[in-house]
Amino acid sequence: MKQMKDDYDKFHRKPLQVRSAQELLAPFGKPGLTERIPLQDSHGRYLAVPVHAPHPFPRFRRSGMDGYAIRSSDTEACGTEPVIWLNVIDEIPCGSVSDKPISAGTAARIMTGAQVPEGADAVVMLEMTELRETDGQTQVGLKRRIETGKNITPIGFEVQEGEVLLRPGRQIQAGEISVLASFGVHQVTVYRKPRIAIFSTGSELLTVDEPLQPGKIRNSNTYMLASQVRAAGGEPFILEAVMDDLSLAQSKVEEAMQEYDAVVTSGGVSVGDYDIMGDLVRSDHVDMLYNKIAMRPGSVTTAAVKDGKLLFALSGNPGACFVGFELFVRPFIQRTLGSDKPYLTEWTAVLDQDYTKVNAFTRYVRGRVEVRDGMVYAIPAKVDESSVMVTIKDSDCLIVIPPAKGVTPAGDKVKILLLKGSTL
Ligand SMILES: Nc1nc2c(c(=O)[nH]1)N[C@H]1C(S)=C(S)[C@@H](COP(=O)(O)OP(=O)(O)OC[C@H]3O[C@@H](n4cnc5c(N)ncnc54)[C@H](O)[C@@H]3O)O[C@H]1N2
Ligand code: MOO
Ligand SMILES: [Mg+2]
């Protein structure tokens, strides 16, 4: 009788649409704790505070050339006279400030990046000048008119004082680091990486360093997931895989849920006799959010919550596990990092080949993106079964094939989700 009730619960699952499941998860992903780290360690991290400009940039009138700082009005006579001669009164290397203002008839030799002296309103590049010595006085000769402002970068040309330059949730990369450094932010306040526990379930699993044994396989999902966690901005914690034993898995899940920000498991969510994660989420130890999604692969992708923390119980099949992570776990991690774009980037592409599998559920097909003659094409992987591992590495997108009664023909426009932080 109990067996019948269990089987009934296992099989009669209510499929949720991907978007509905994502919405159900959204409230759990809130920007979390912050930490201060040195600027040089901040690449790839997510800013937790806004960065305002404490001063304009550049902060002083900057010479854009090696040459002479002059008054442009002194060159007005160029054209009527073959050469205008100005007395060179100073030399200004980068980093020095001249205390000799430029007045009519004078110039200062100046280097690229140096502060333009008072009185000067243009810099003429070295190549356009000649030099002479008259009675011990160095003079610079100019032949052409120079307009006001030439080769001088004005104060605040790039950034005005007080401007908001970076907002929380922004991922720090080379350009952001340059901004932070320019404004003296040597300790950066970033969101702490969410700590994600990962463990696989399955009595067939060997560790990667174990020799193969009959009927057994090496655990690849754990390492694949750890890599996905890192790419999404989280910190993975690899826990030992557990056998298909409900009470063992239960105690491991409980321990991990107390210690980490979220727990991701793989395997045991389908309807088999040893699919213990499916049983676990139906028990009253956790509150199940869903245990079926209207998608392929990963239709049995499951999630539950306990004390406000999420348990993502992904399918054991590597393809389904991979997709389940990208669609559900990645957005959670991204949300805790303050990202306002938690989902994979979506593009439209032309399907390159017929897609022949027919399905009642939306398919997320591994594929490659190719740009030909300015058109984006999506090429489905030759083998994309949920159980197939080896083509995950060759995919830079997931091709979204909506439920279809027949073939989806080549040439159809399809939605694609970019993988690998793709900036194709
Ligand atoms: N009667 C039915 N059987 C199955 C159904 C169904 O609807 N009715 N769905 C199939 C689909 S689709 C999928 S997907 C899988 C889901 O299985 P589970 O999530 O329960 O995963 P397992 O049974 O534990 O393992 C499936 C497969 O994946 C391999 N695996 C597991 N863990 C790992 C790991 N860490 N690294 C590498 N490979 C792993 C495992 O050995 C199995 O081969 O159920 C179908 N069955
Ligand atoms: O749930 Mo399975 O991954 O649909 O193919
Ligand atoms: Mg199973």
Side-chain angles (χ1 to χ4, degrees), residues 295-301 315 317 319-321 361 363 385-387:
M295 68 176 200
R296 278 273 147 115
S299 57
V300 285
T301 299
S315 168
N317 267 334
C321 181
F361 288 163
R363 275 194 177 268
E385 274 75 20
S386 175
S387 56

Side-chain angles (χ1 to χ4, degrees), residues 71-237:
R71 291 165 76 97
S72 57
S73 53
D74 277 348
T75 68
E76 272 163 20
C78 288
T80 49
E81 290 186 43
V83 182
I84 301 293
W85 293 99
L86 305 172
N87 288 339
V88 179
I89 59 165
D90 204 358
E91 183 183 287
I92 315 168
C94 225
S96 296
V97 177
S98 171
D99 56 2
K100 298 188 182 107
I102 303 301
S103 52
T106 67
R109 196 168 168 105
I110 191 165
M111 306 307 141
T112 305
Q115 179 170 328
V116 174
E118 268 178 52
D121 66 357
V123 169
V124 54
M125 63 197 286
L126 216 48
E127 296 87 326
M128 290 172 66
T129 65
E130 53 191 282
L131 272 187
R132 76 178 183 193
E133 196 84 18
T134 311
D135 301 333
Q137 171 65 56
T138 308
Q139 291 190 316
V140 60
L142 312 175
K143 287 185 180 147
R144 279 204 226 135
R145 273 190 179 206
I146 306 293
E147 71 263 29
T148 306
K150 184 81 181 167
N151 296 325
I152 296 180
T153 308
I155 292 170
F157 176 73
E158 291 183 48
V159 173
Q160 299 292 323
E161 183 173 340
E163 219 176 285
V164 180
L165 293 167
L166 302 170
R167 294 182 194 279
R170 175 99 174 212
Q171 193 184 20
I172 300 171
Q173 290 178 340
E176 289 76 10
I177 293 211
S178 181
V179 167
L180 294 165
S182 298
F183 290 101
V185 187
H186 55 97
Q187 291 284 317
V188 191
T189 306
V190 294
Y191 288 116
R192 181 173 70 67
K193 292 183 186 181
R195 303 166 76 245
I196 311 291
I198 299 167
F199 67 83
S200 290
T201 66
S203 301
E204 75 279 31
L205 300 177
L206 300 169
T207 59
V208 284
D209 53 356
E210 273 183 280
L212 283 178
Q213 295 167 29
K216 307 229 173 193
I217 58 163
R218 295 198 182 94
N219 173 2
S220 58
N221 286 349
T222 285
Y223 300 95
M224 176 181 73
L225 287 168
S227 172
Q228 289 177 282
V229 167
R230 262 194 206 100
E235 187 177 0
F237 290 82

Side-chain angles (χ1 to χ4, degrees), residues 204 267-276 300 315-317:
E204 75 279 31
V269 283
S270 187
V271 298
D273 292 342
Y274 301 92
D275 281 338
I276 49 150
V300 285
S315 168
N317 267 334

Side-chain angles (χ1 to χ4, degrees), residues 270-346:
S270 187
V271 298
D273 292 342
Y274 301 92
D275 281 338
I276 49 150
M277 291 306 293
D279 298 337
L280 193 152
V281 291
R282 281 192 305 273
S283 73
D284 47 17
H285 292 270
V286 292
D287 295 320
M288 192 180 81
L289 292 173
Y290 53 80
N291 64 356
K292 192 149 185 108
I293 305 284
M295 68 176 200
R296 278 273 147 115
S299 57
V300 285
T301 299
T302 294
V305 61
K306 187 176 170 66
D307 301 330
K309 287 190 187 169
L310 288 173
L311 164 66
F312 296 94
L314 306 178
S315 168
N317 267 334
C321 181
F322 178 83
V323 169
F325 181 96
E326 293 298 321
L327 296 183
F328 304 112
V329 189
R330 184 184 185 279
F332 165 77
I333 293 175
Q334 282 280 299
R335 280 209 163 85
T336 65
L337 295 167
S339 165
D340 56 1
K341 290 195 197 94
Y343 301 116
L344 295 171
T345 303
E346 192 181 301

Side-chain angles (χ1 to χ4, degrees), residues 406-423:
V407 172
T408 312
D412 260 21
K413 284 211 170 131
V414 286
K415 213 165 78 174
I416 61 171
L417 306 177
L418 299 184
L419 297 170
K420 298 179 176 171
S422 221
T423 49

